[in-house]
Amino acid sequence: MALEGALRDCGLAEVMQLLAGGRRTGTLRVAGGAGSRVALLRFTDGAVTGGRWDDDPDALLGALLACGLANAADVARAAGWALAQQPPGHVVDGLVETGAVTRHARDAVVARLLDDLCFELVTVHDGAWAFVDADDGTGATREPASGVHVAGEALLLDAARRRDEWPAIEAVVG
């Protein structure tokens, strides 16, 4: 069952509370208005388990590479593993299954990406949201696995705190 609405009528915090209360599993799309990026937040049983911008489908893989947790050879091995799965798996899952990246390291990077995504989302007050239940199992919308299960409200509260503290940080750092 799909749900959708305007952020001016039902804010992001309210949407997340609705999804948590209903223990929903699926993807929440949040668009902040004309020309803005679309955020995708994955929910499992009402908890946020992953997220990314729609124009960056491999954000997690890119972050793992950028922080040196994986290299090109690791990715090649993981891609081979992913292709051998039925349906094909995600390369990040392959990095974990081949031992190149630990689950703990993957989850720490997922949590950081979620924090950064929500940091930007707390300023979005005009736009639209839509929630679509989990896919039919074909893997067409497959995202990498995650051991992260965070309450949406906690993510938004932390993001709002970071947003409030930003001017003081900016004054020192520039």
Side-chain angles (χ1 to χ4, degrees):
M1 176 168 119
L3 304 168
E4 58 185 60
L7 288 171
R8 70 180 173 280
D9 297 330
C10 187
L12 192 54
E14 295 165 311
V15 172
M16 288 183 152
Q17 286 175 344
L18 175 71
L19 298 174
R23 299 187 47 84
R24 301 297 294 266
T25 297
T27 302
L28 175 65
R29 297 176 57 86
V30 181
S36 67
R37 298 167 83 186
V38 175
L40 304 171
L41 291 168
R42 188 174 64 240
F43 282 77
T44 303
D45 294 327
V48 180
T49 58
R52 64 177 176 84
W53 295 106
D54 71 333
D55 61 355
D56 193 2
D58 289 323
L60 180 55
L61 179 59
L64 290 168
L65 289 167
C67 64
L69 291 172
N71 59 41
D74 296 331
V75 170
R77 279 190 302 280
W81 176 91
L83 287 173
Q85 305 307 301
Q86 287 299 332
H90 195 280
V91 173
V92 172
D93 295 336
L95 287 170
V96 172
E97 291 302 319
T98 60
V101 174
T102 66
R103 284 178 171 73
H104 177 73
R106 176 206 56 207
D107 292 348
V109 173
V110 167
R112 184 61 195 190
L113 289 173
L114 278 173
D115 284 344
D116 291 346
L117 180 72
C118 288
F119 178 67
E120 292 188 43
L121 284 178
V122 294
T123 61
V124 177
H125 302 290
D126 189 35
W129 60 270
F131 180 81
V132 178
D133 286 322
D135 73 359
D136 59 6
T138 63
T141 59
R142 179 131 167 78
E143 295 284 335
S146 166
V148 173
H149 287 76
V150 183
E153 297 90 358
L155 278 172
L156 291 180
L157 284 173
D158 188 51
R161 179 195 51 78
R162 284 178 61 195
R163 181 66 67 183
D164 290 344
E165 293 172 352
W166 190 251
I169 295 169
E170 198 170 40
V172 174
V173 177

